[in-house]
Amino acid sequence: MSSTEKTGILDVLIGATLWGSIGVFVLFMNQFGSTSILTCFLRMAFAFVILLVMTVYQFGWSAFIIDKKSLLACLLLGLICQGIYNIFYNEAILDLGMTLSAVLLNLAPLCGMIASRLLFHEVLTKQKLLSMAVCIAGCCLTVTGGHLELSTLPLTGLLFGIGSGLTYGMTSVFGRMAGFRCNAWVMSTYSYLFAAVFLLFFTYPFPPQTYEAPLLITGFLYALIPTALGYLFYYQGVQKITENSKVPVIASIETVISALFGVFLFHEILGPIHILGIVLVMGSIVMMNYKIGD
């Protein structure tokens, strides 16, 4: 494995680790009176402003002059993997709750692997398929602890949950497509712009609590830490990793980090099954990136 590939894996791990704090920010914003859609909009809008300033400072306005194919990839990234994904996931949480929604979100590695096969003609080896299966199993155990009530689940909630996993799984695909022609800073800025404009239609006119300082400050930090910085590391990593199908499995470390935040900040308890799930997720990442036998 080349040093560039190792750096890419580290970048994705850092990005996914920052994503693990998303639940913390969402919880605080909810306590300050934000709705789920408003939270999504503030996240995208602030992230766009943050990265716009940072990108212009580093590369100048000329960096935003990109070809039509790159712009289309950024549009799809913002519309599908940021805008539609956020709506699907929030609706799934309302219908199914956090646990099952998080389980369905872990369809992302499967979606990413299939898309990589169809679009980039990557070979699906037995090791890749096994590591993906171990990853999904580990994520499910980490989230549920082995207990999952499937009775009386609404069909719409299940569809939203499946949709969130599929749209989330396309992040590495569109990110890789856009990354061929423009740098990660420009790509991230454009994607947040398109996502913010899309989500604006669901939030305008803004409710009164939108203008309260605690909500705005929390929203800004939410946009800075797990969003702007998180996706920046992620997109940089995607461009350095040769096989795109590896990326969603590596990024599944987010599930583990989320569980650890729950333990240390909200005093949630990790049982033996949760710990087994964490071990499986970590093992799947190692399995995906290092050859086992010939």
Side-chain angles (χ1 to χ4, degrees):
M1 183 185 298
S2 67
S3 58
T4 300
E5 185 97 358
K6 291 179 180 178
T7 303
I9 292 173
L10 180 61
D11 284 340
V12 172
L13 285 173
I14 293 173
T17 298
L18 294 176
W19 291 346
S21 66
I22 286 175
V24 178
F25 288 100
V26 171
L27 179 60
F28 281 123
M29 292 188 73
N30 182 67
Q31 291 176 349
F32 292 135
S34 181
T35 64
S36 60
I37 297 297
L38 177 59
T39 295
C40 295
F41 170 74
L42 290 177
R43 179 189 186 191
M44 295 295 106
F46 275 131
F48 164 67
V49 174
I50 291 169
L51 275 183
L52 178 65
V53 173
M54 295 172 69
T55 304
V56 170
Y57 177 77
Q58 290 190 89
F59 307 105
W61 288 101
S62 61
F64 291 100
I65 303 175
I66 60 177
D67 61 86
K68 293 180 180 179
K69 290 185 178 179
S70 296
L71 190 61
L72 176 61
C74 292
L75 172 63
L76 294 173
L77 196 60
L79 179 63
I80 297 175
C81 304
Q82 301 286 5
I84 295 177
Y85 156 69
N86 272 287
I87 292 176
F88 279 176
Y89 192 49
N90 283 320
E91 290 298 326
I93 290 173
L94 292 176
D95 287 348
L96 303 177
M98 283 292 297
T99 298
L100 186 54
S101 298
V103 171
L104 292 174
L105 188 61
N106 288 298
L107 289 170
L110 177 60
C111 176
M113 189 169 289
I114 293 173
S116 297
R117 171 60 180 168
L118 296 176
L119 297 175
F120 306 128
H121 308 292
E122 294 183 6
V123 179
L124 298 183
T125 63
K126 292 181 180 179
Q127 183 172 331
K128 283 185 180 180
L129 294 172
L130 178 59
S131 63
M132 182 198 65
V134 171
C135 171
I136 294 175
C139 288
C140 291
L141 292 178
T142 301
V143 171
T144 67
H147 302 287
L148 188 61
E149 179 57 53
L150 297 176
S151 61
T152 66
L153 292 177
L155 177 60
T156 54
L158 289 172
L159 292 176
F160 278 127
I162 293 171
S164 68
L166 296 179
T167 50
Y168 178 58
M170 294 300 293
T171 305
S172 63
V173 175
F174 292 135
R176 187 178 182 86
M177 291 171 62
F180 284 138
R181 299 177 179 85
C182 63
N183 68 45
W185 295 81
V186 173
M187 176 173 56
S188 300
T189 305
Y190 268 126
S191 69
Y192 294 140
L193 171 61
F194 291 130
V197 171
F198 174 73
L199 291 169
L200 179 63
F201 290 99
F202 296 89
T203 53
Y204 188 83
F206 301 115
Q209 61 268 34
T210 306
Y211 308 100
E212 296 178 0
L215 179 60
L216 291 175
I217 292 172
T218 307
F220 178 84
L221 293 175
Y222 182 24
L224 175 63
I225 299 171
T227 308
L229 295 179
Y231 275 99
L232 188 60
F233 275 108
Y234 179 83
Y235 292 145
Q236 289 181 153
V238 167
Q239 295 174 24
K240 297 171 185 174
I241 296 175
T242 307
E243 296 177 273
N244 189 77
S245 54
K246 292 181 177 181
V247 177
V249 174
I250 299 170
S252 62
I253 193 69
E254 175 190 358
T255 303
V256 174
I257 300 301
S258 297
L260 295 177
F261 268 116
V263 171
F264 292 109
L265 294 183
F266 305 113
H267 308 293
E268 296 178 1
I269 298 175
L270 286 183
I273 301 299
H274 296 96
I275 296 174
L276 173 61
I278 291 174
V279 171
L280 288 176
V281 172
M282 301 297 291
S284 72
I285 295 173
V286 174
M287 190 185 307
M288 178 62 82
N289 292 285
Y290 292 94
K291 289 185 178 180
I292 302 175
D294 296 323

